[in-house]
Amino acid sequence: MKRDQSGQKVTVACADKEVSVYSHCAYCKHCEGVQIRKRVISTPQKEKISGISKGTSEDDDLLNSQMMFNTLIRDGDSIVCSDDENQGYTSMYSY
């Protein structure tokens, strides 16, 4: 992850360009989590989306999980991405 001077903008290399972790990784199906030192924390919103489709989570839970993702980014060292084929951003909300 690359942070700007203010620490407010955080980007990563994705496919062939730099993208914001807040507007891309947070909503990408390839994002598996955030590495914080030696630990990898799973992407909270993926768990909640699966719960919504099963009827066990509410919309508010998804919003809270996205806020938790932002907290993980603040403390994180890198994004764990499963995009081995270099497809780039793919929305986790598409069915």
Side-chain angles (χ1 to χ4, degrees), residues 25-37:
C25 297
Y27 306 103
C28 183
K29 75 175 188 177
H30 299 295
C31 185
E32 297 298 326
V34 178
Q35 183 163 354
I36 302 173
R37 291 173 239 2

Side-chain angles (χ1 to χ4, degrees), residues 3 14 20 23 27-28 31 38 41-42 44 65 77 79 81 87 91-92:
R3 300 175 193 278
C14 178
S20 166
S23 63
Y27 306 103
C28 183
C31 185
K38 293 184 179 183
I41 313 272
S42 297
S65 69
D77 301 311
I79 294 289
C81 183
Q87 296 174 336
S91 175
M92 70 171 66

